[in-house]
Amino acid sequence: AIFAHEGMHQFTDMVMPDFQKGVSAGEVPCWYSEGIADCIGNCENRGDKLYMCTMKGYIAMMRTIVVQTGIREKRTPPLKELVKYNQKDYYSKNGRLNYSIGWSFTHFLMTYPKVEDPSKQIPDGKYKKGLVAFHNLLAAGKKRDDAYQVAFGINGSAPDWNRFEKEWKEYVLTFPDPLRGTALEGLSADIDKLNDTDGIYVGTIADDSVCSKSGIKSKDVILEVNGKGSLHYGMLIPPVRKVKPAEKFKVKVKRGGG
């Protein structure tokens, strides 16, 4: 997944030499540059074919809990602001949250109203044509805001980012919990600690949630699963999902972050 993500960046740099310059200058928005790379990285191999924008992919598992927590806790930046973030803003203003937003918003544009479309290698959602048009306009050197207006506006008007944000948020909250059916179902992220690298900081969790009943508490820091380090959700979720329902596994935590 990471190889494919970075490979997408390298591919666009080779075929469109000005694309990365546009990212640095803010004319190619980071939500799209990182989001489309995530969607490429989030492919699933089925036989001899790759299927894009699946919910079983590594990146979907890594990003879902973060973006859902951000939406529920009203911690995501207004979409009309995020779509104008330059590279510095995108990475410095809670970069891991923004990465999760970029992936989920690009996924939304590709697949909405379906969460995924297992029958198609490349989804054909309601806004996919607009996303393709946006990419082609940027590749042709169109200014960012002009490309937004042509690709996502209605009758020549600027995009209604408030409408897009409402649809996107409602849509993302329908994504299945990647830990559903495990002892950590119901886990949430601590949005203020996403960039800390010593473990996974647990956010507010419901007392009646499965993970609470398993002994996880809000403000815990998950350090290991079965002896292997868990520094982010991409390292936590896959091994937990592999545990069979009747099996037990060990989770090492710092209680209350201390």
Side-chain angles (χ1 to χ4, degrees):
I2 303 302
F3 178 82
H5 173 108
E6 296 302 331
M8 180 61 182
H9 287 317
Q10 295 297 319
F11 175 76
T12 53
D13 288 349
M14 286 191 298
V15 299
M16 293 177 284
D18 292 334
F19 198 82
Q20 187 56 44
K21 293 179 182 178
V23 173
S24 299
E27 284 300 323
V28 175
C30 268
W31 72 262
Y32 175 67
S33 173
E34 297 297 347
I36 195 64
D38 264 359
C39 285
I40 294 295
N42 199 48
C43 288
E44 185 178 343
N45 185 22
R46 300 175 191 163
D48 60 350
K49 295 181 180 180
L50 284 175
Y51 288 78
M52 188 178 175
C53 294
T54 72
M55 292 307 295
K56 293 180 181 178
Y58 173 85
I59 289 173
M61 289 191 284
M62 181 168 61
R63 308 281 193 220
T64 295
I65 291 175
V66 172
V67 70
Q68 286 184 333
T69 302
I71 290 171
R72 289 191 182 105
E73 297 183 357
K74 297 180 172 55
R75 298 293 303 278
T76 57
L79 190 59
K80 63 184 179 183
E81 295 179 12
L82 183 123
V83 295
K84 295 190 176 184
Y85 276 5
N86 59 30
Q87 197 171 39
K88 180 181 177 181
D89 288 338
Y90 193 82
Y91 297 147
S92 65
K93 295 181 177 181
N94 206 334
R96 287 195 175 180
L97 176 59
N98 291 335
Y99 264 93
S100 296
I101 295 170
W103 160 71
S104 62
F105 187 59
T106 307
H107 184 98
F108 160 78
L109 293 171
M110 288 288 294
T111 64
Y112 180 81
K114 295 180 179 180
V115 171
E116 61 180 338
D117 189 346
S119 67
K120 294 183 178 179
Q121 288 182 265
I122 301 176
D124 192 21
K126 179 179 178 180
Y127 299 116
K128 181 204 166 185
K129 288 183 180 178
L131 187 66
V132 172
F134 182 65
H135 175 91
N136 290 336
L137 288 163
L138 293 176
K142 197 82 169 177
K143 293 291 186 181
R144 179 197 64 200
D145 290 348
D146 292 338
Y148 278 145
Q149 185 167 329
V150 173
F152 300 120
I154 298 175
N155 297 325
S157 63
D160 184 350
W161 293 120
N162 291 331
R163 175 178 61 82
F164 274 112
E165 181 171 354
K166 182 176 184 295
E167 285 186 346
W168 161 70
K169 286 181 174 179
E170 291 174 350
Y171 170 78
V172 169
L173 292 178
T174 69
F175 288 1
D177 183 345
L179 289 167
R180 184 172 60 187
T182 77
L184 296 184
E185 181 177 345
L187 197 66
S188 73
D190 186 334
I191 298 299
D192 293 319
K193 296 286 188 177
L194 292 177
N195 294 319
D196 287 39
T197 58
D198 57 328
I200 297 170
Y201 284 73
V202 179
T204 302
I205 56 177
D207 291 338
D208 61 350
S209 65
V210 175
C211 64
S212 178
K213 293 175 181 177
S214 298
I216 302 297
K217 298 181 182 296
S218 299
K219 303 303 180 183
D220 280 351
V221 183
I222 298 175
L223 303 175
E224 297 178 359
V225 173
N226 283 341
K228 293 185 178 181
S230 293
L231 303 182
H232 55 71
Y233 286 98
M235 298 175 70
L236 170 74
I237 295 172
V240 172
R241 284 170 59 101
K242 289 180 181 178
V243 177
K244 296 178 181 178
E247 293 180 344
K248 294 183 178 180
F249 61 93
K250 293 182 179 180
V251 178
K252 182 179 179 181
V253 304
K254 283 196 299 184
R255 182 102 295 166

